[in-house]
Amino acid sequence: MANVRGGDLSRLRQLNALAAIRALREAGPLTLTALAERTGLSRPSTKEVVDELTGLGWVEEVPPNPGTMGRPARRYRFRADCGHLVGVDIGGHNIRAALSDLDGEILAETRQPVRPDDPLEERLAAIERAVSGCLALSGRAASDLWLVAAGTTGVVSPEGRVQFSAAIPAWIGLDLAGELARMFPCEVLVENDSRLAALAEARRGAARGARDVVFLHVGRRMGTGLIIDGKVHRGFGAAAGEIVMLPEARWYDAPDHLNTCAVVPPGTPEEDAAGFTLAAARDGDPAALAAVGRYVDDLAVGTAAMVLLLDPQVVVLGGGFSRSADVLLGPLRERLERACLRTPEVRASALGDECVVMGAIDYAVDHLDRHLFTPDAGPSLPLPQPAGR
Amino acid sequence: MANVRGGDLSRLRQLNALAAIRALREAGPLTLTALAERTGLSRPSTKEVVDELTGLGWVEEVPPNPGTMGRPARRYRFRADCGHLVGVDIGGHNIRAALSDLDGEILAETRQPVRPDDPLEERLAAIERAVSGCLALSGRAASDLWLVAAGTTGVVSPEGRVQFSAAIPAWIGLDLAGELARMFPCEVLVENDSRLAALAEARRGAARGARDVVFLHVGRRMGTGLIIDGKVHRGFGAAAGEIVMLPEARWYDAPDHLNTCAVVPPGTPEEDAAGFTLAAARDGDPAALAAVGRYVDDLAVGTAAMVLLLDPQVVVLGGGFSRSADVLLGPLRERLERACLRTPEVRASALGDECVVMGAIDYAVDHLDRHLFTPDAGPSLPLPQPAGR
């Protein structure tokens, strides 16, 4: 029998098993008595369920503390290592991958540099290498993977096809979900990178605990990801977050203010220009400060539109320019205070370059909770055998 | 024993009772066998729960059809009339009230005209009269009410205090939730009117079945209500939907295009001016069509910001000007198609002047489902006795 939803368990026993797994995943190790209380099951039913799940490799007994006197009550925990998840961040210049257990605990990370103009095959090969690296680092095989979640720059269709990407032109039209499904022997999820970054900041980063979060990707390209009521907001056609496309929001050309400042040395490649302006502004250069002011004026228009519309608890400033958050946060806050009815907290990204790959892991964990460990949540995953039995 | 969550029922019996009530509310009349299947309870437990709920007045047997031969299996239903809900729409010119059963089935409606500059006391008295009228029409008493949900123009704090209202100046600063709580012997909810209108259109109106909906209140004043993932989006400080406050969204002054058109007869009061322009545009008057074009240009900017950000399935055009939806919908669609990545359906309000009061009823039903008929959803309502026992 391969999975908890599978054939031999009766409907009621399945529901009880799912309730027990959910309780153990939420609360950590529990005694049978505590587990019975949380699930509403009788103690004999709880014992039966735990024995069954232990036999299947989903649950294990926690060893008692060495110093414990007498006979303490046995405690049981969910075996988060009975399966593994992979998160991938597909950017213009880097592919990052991370491997975690089923609780999202990171066990290995890798990075593969790529170039925006690399051919499609090379970029796909780099994804495969990044994930293989994670498997090797953690001593796991591809067959241990339950889910691969990938975040990519660009607009992604609900089916995981790249509809548009300014950063990776070769990516446009690619059936990314299909390519990844050919690569890995497990379910694959594809999502826009800014949305995953937003999720990571809401779960473990600068907006930890907040239910409504606007993540601003500020860099040479601008993007945004929304967390609404604790969940990634995709929209009906998975096209949410594209306010950069509205000229009146003044985002698209905003980075030009930084690129064209007089402090940028002649001949600087465009991708490095803004860094000079932001650095000079930190040192108090008046021309650079004026350029930053104009940049934040524009950034604040689209941001105020989002804040007025959604009233988030936290706005997180992420992306390449967020390394200069010290220069940007104050002016942005000040403009939002003038423009908005209620000003949210404005914070710098806590996860930096890791935010997309962490978000991909968090997204995979959420997917697991929603589609596997919840009764009647729709089609069940094709689950591999719990590992290490 | 006054309520299902109350003292005497054990934890497990409470959970079973809630599961049975939920199944009957969702599926309508069920046989014991069908109910057992939906709840996952054994048939004897189901019988026990149904007997108990019948005794408490929450559930009743459905009379068999007169023509039925033999002995058909008994069917049971939730008694939606064991309590009642009131919805109130507090506008500048009208107070509307509706009374429904616990399923949101409307049993009575009233309207009380008021004036925007009426003193506070007069407006509060009109609310009380409107609700009393509903009670009288339906033969119910205030003690039969479980919930009163009120929608008001203006920005409302999470605690139900009016923070700002352009339409009813006397309303600003009012503890509306407190005033209503003094008026009615039951729990009171207060919400922004555009949000409730959005909910009604999503539940029973133009956007029925859609999970992500933007409701545009277009009229002399502009407002918006968002339904995200099937729920009213309030935002962290209950200030969501206020994009009209962003000058770049071009909403605030947009109605001026209609008010100042040459077709408006001199001396027309401002509140009637737009109607002349919209009527003339319907008749093909070039000046009026040009004014409508400029109006929709502005309307489309704020709307495109919302569509690009949220990617809703449906945009509903409501509010006073939506009576001229035939004149506005085409031009609005055309501009959104040019500005947006994915154009949602754009539809006229199906509920018209009733949308806020219907939304208030739907909001009350949702609240009931979330806070009363769901285990562990937080504090339970102070429930009155089920009526009519």
Side-chain angles (χ1 to χ4, degrees):
Chain A
M1 178 162 33
N3 87 54
V4 172
R5 302 174 74 101
D8 289 356
L9 283 175
S10 76
R11 169 91 181 120
L12 188 60
R13 278 162 70 208
Q14 276 186 48
L15 289 174
N16 292 348
L18 289 172
I21 288 178
R22 268 204 315 284
L24 292 173
R25 274 170 69 81
E26 280 167 25
L30 293 174
T31 62
L32 287 180
T33 309
L35 183 58
E37 205 163 284
R38 286 185 75 101
T39 54
L41 299 174
S42 69
R43 206 171 171 291
S45 302
T46 306
K47 174 91 173 66
E48 199 180 318
V49 163
V50 164
D51 287 346
E52 191 157 46
L53 289 172
T54 306
L56 287 165
W58 295 79
V59 162
E60 65 184 355
E61 196 182 327
V62 182
N65 291 332
T68 312
M69 303 288 286
R71 270 187 59 204
R74 290 173 174 193
R75 294 188 311 148
Y76 297 88
R77 70 177 161 212
F78 175 70
R79 283 192 51 206
D81 64 344
C82 73
H84 292 83
L85 310 172
V86 157
V88 183
D89 169 14
I90 305 167
H93 296 83
N94 287 292
I95 309 286
R96 291 172 193 274
L99 185 145
S100 80
D101 67 16
L102 298 183
D103 286 341
E105 188 77 31
I106 307 290
L107 305 176
E109 286 184 79
T110 58
R111 181 174 73 86
Q112 284 276 308
V114 285
R115 281 182 307 240
D117 53 357
D118 272 343
L120 188 58
E121 297 68 33
E122 170 47 29
R123 188 173 298 271
L124 291 170
I127 294 172
E128 200 156 12
R129 285 196 303 275
V131 176
S132 299
C134 284
L135 291 170
L137 283 169
S138 58
R140 304 288 163 178
S143 57
D144 295 328
L145 298 182
W146 285 19
L147 259 183
V148 170
T152 179
T153 171
V155 180
V156 183
S157 79
E159 298 75 32
R161 188 176 286 275
V162 180
Q163 299 183 287
F164 179 77
S165 169
I168 315 177
W171 229 220
I172 298 173
L174 177 70
D175 175 14
L176 182 56
E179 292 291 345
L180 296 177
R182 272 186 285 281
M183 224 175 264
F184 305 110
C186 62
E187 188 173 0
V188 160
L189 308 171
V190 176
E191 188 45 282
N192 168 273
D193 53 1
S194 292
R195 288 187 203 142
L196 297 182
L199 183 63
E201 296 290 352
R203 286 295 154 76
R204 47 173 108 198
R208 193 169 169 176
R211 305 282 299 167
D212 293 294
V213 178
V214 167
F215 176 85
L216 308 179
H217 178 102
V218 296
R220 281 178 302 128
R221 293 201 172 76
M222 309 280 287
T224 190
L226 307 177
I227 301 299
I228 299 183
D229 202 17
K231 284 185 293 192
V232 170
H233 181 70
R234 310 185 87 192
F236 181 67
E242 294 297 329
I243 199 158
V244 66
M245 295 187 66
L246 187 75
E248 289 84 354
R250 292 182 16 201
W251 269 27
Y252 194 83
D253 294 325
D256 287 351
H257 293 297
L258 303 177
N259 295 337
T260 59
C261 178
V263 301
V264 179
T268 304
E270 199 194 299
E271 60 193 79
D272 300 328
F276 284 94
T277 309
L278 289 163
R282 183 177 296 116
D283 294 339
D285 178 276
L289 284 169
V292 167
R294 289 191 299 274
Y295 171 70
V296 178
D297 282 344
D298 285 358
L299 178 63
V301 174
T303 308
M306 291 192 272
V307 168
L308 283 166
L309 194 57
L310 297 173
D311 186 23
Q313 182 176 357
V314 184
V315 170
V316 178
L317 196 74
F321 295 175
S322 70
R323 285 183 214 110
S324 303
D326 56 326
V327 176
L328 299 172
L329 283 181
L332 180 59
R333 268 194 209 106
E334 182 223 315
R335 283 156 181 82
L336 291 180
E337 262 160 34
R338 268 187 275 146
C340 297
L341 199 66
R342 199 193 66 76
T343 311
E345 292 177 67
V346 184
R347 302 185 193 152
S349 161
L351 302 168
D353 294 339
E354 307 278 287
C355 60
V356 177
V357 77
M358 295 290 144
I361 292 287
D362 293 338
Y363 193 67
V365 172
D366 277 11
H367 187 86
L368 217 61
D369 282 334
R370 261 204 317 279
H371 294 278
L372 175 61
F373 296 131
T374 302
D376 299 325
S380 68
L381 290 180
L383 264 199
Q385 292 274 85
R389 291 165 61 189
Chain B
M1 179 163 33
N3 88 54
V4 172
R5 301 174 75 102
D8 288 358
L9 285 173
S10 76
R11 169 92 181 119
L12 188 58
R13 279 161 71 208
Q14 276 186 47
L15 289 174
N16 291 348
L18 289 172
I21 288 178
R22 268 204 316 282
L24 292 172
R25 274 170 69 82
E26 280 167 24
L30 293 175
T31 61
L32 287 180
T33 309
L35 183 59
E37 204 162 282
R38 287 185 74 100
T39 53
L41 298 175
S42 70
R43 206 170 171 291
S45 301
T46 306
K47 174 92 174 65
E48 199 181 319
V49 164
V50 165
D51 287 347
E52 192 156 46
L53 289 172
T54 306
L56 287 165
W58 294 79
V59 162
E60 66 185 355
E61 196 182 328
V62 182
N65 291 333
T68 312
M69 303 288 285
R71 270 187 59 204
R74 291 174 173 191
R75 294 188 310 148
Y76 297 87
R77 70 177 164 215
F78 175 71
R79 283 192 52 205
D81 64 344
C82 73
H84 291 83
L85 310 172
V86 157
V88 183
D89 168 14
I90 305 167
H93 296 83
N94 286 293
I95 309 287
R96 291 172 193 275
L99 185 145
S100 80
D101 67 16
L102 298 183
D103 286 342
E105 188 76 32
I106 307 291
L107 305 176
E109 286 185 80
T110 58
R111 182 175 71 87
Q112 284 275 308
V114 288
R115 281 182 308 242
D117 54 356
D118 272 344
L120 188 58
E121 298 68 33
E122 170 47 28
R123 188 173 297 272
L124 291 169
I127 294 173
E128 198 155 15
R129 285 196 304 275
V131 175
S132 299
C134 284
L135 290 170
L137 283 169
S138 59
R140 303 288 164 179
S143 57
D144 295 328
L145 298 182
W146 285 19
L147 259 182
V148 170
T152 180
T153 173
V155 180
V156 184
S157 78
E159 298 76 32
R161 187 177 286 274
V162 180
Q163 299 183 287
F164 178 76
S165 169
I168 315 176
W171 230 219
I172 298 172
L174 177 70
D175 175 13
L176 181 56
E179 293 290 345
L180 296 177
R182 272 186 285 280
M183 224 175 263
F184 304 112
C186 62
E187 188 172 1
V188 160
L189 308 172
V190 176
E191 188 45 282
N192 168 273
D193 52 2
S194 292
R195 286 187 205 143
L196 297 182
L199 183 64
E201 296 289 353
R203 287 293 154 78
R204 48 173 107 198
R208 193 169 167 175
R211 304 283 299 167
D212 291 295
V213 179
V214 167
F215 176 85
L216 307 179
H217 178 101
V218 296
R220 281 177 302 128
R221 294 201 171 76
M222 310 280 287
T224 192
L226 307 177
I227 301 299
I228 298 183
D229 201 17
K231 285 185 292 192
V232 170
H233 181 69
R234 309 186 88 191
F236 182 67
E242 295 297 328
I243 198 159
V244 67
M245 295 186 68
L246 186 75
E248 289 84 354
R250 294 186 9 206
W251 270 26
Y252 193 84
D253 294 325
D256 288 350
H257 293 297
L258 303 176
N259 296 337
T260 59
C261 179
V263 302
V264 178
T268 304
E270 199 194 298
E271 61 193 77
D272 301 328
F276 284 95
T277 308
L278 290 163
R282 183 178 296 116
D283 295 339
D285 179 276
L289 284 170
V292 166
R294 290 191 299 275
Y295 171 70
V296 177
D297 282 344
D298 285 359
L299 179 62
V301 174
T303 308
M306 291 192 272
V307 168
L308 283 166
L309 194 58
L310 296 173
D311 187 24
Q313 182 176 358
V314 185
V315 170
V316 177
L317 196 74
F321 294 176
S322 70
R323 285 182 214 111
S324 304
D326 56 325
V327 177
L328 300 172
L329 282 182
L332 181 59
R333 269 195 209 105
E334 183 224 315
R335 283 157 180 81
L336 291 180
E337 263 158 34
R338 268 188 275 146
C340 297
L341 199 66
R342 200 194 65 77
T343 312
E345 293 177 67
V346 184
R347 302 184 193 152
S349 160
L351 302 168
D353 294 340
E354 307 277 288
C355 61
V356 177
V357 76
M358 295 290 144
I361 291 287
D362 293 337
Y363 193 67
V365 172
D366 277 10
H367 187 86
L368 216 60
D369 281 335
R370 262 204 316 278
H371 294 277
L372 175 62
F373 296 130
T374 302
D376 299 325
S380 69
L381 291 180
L383 265 199
Q385 292 275 75
R389 290 166 59 191

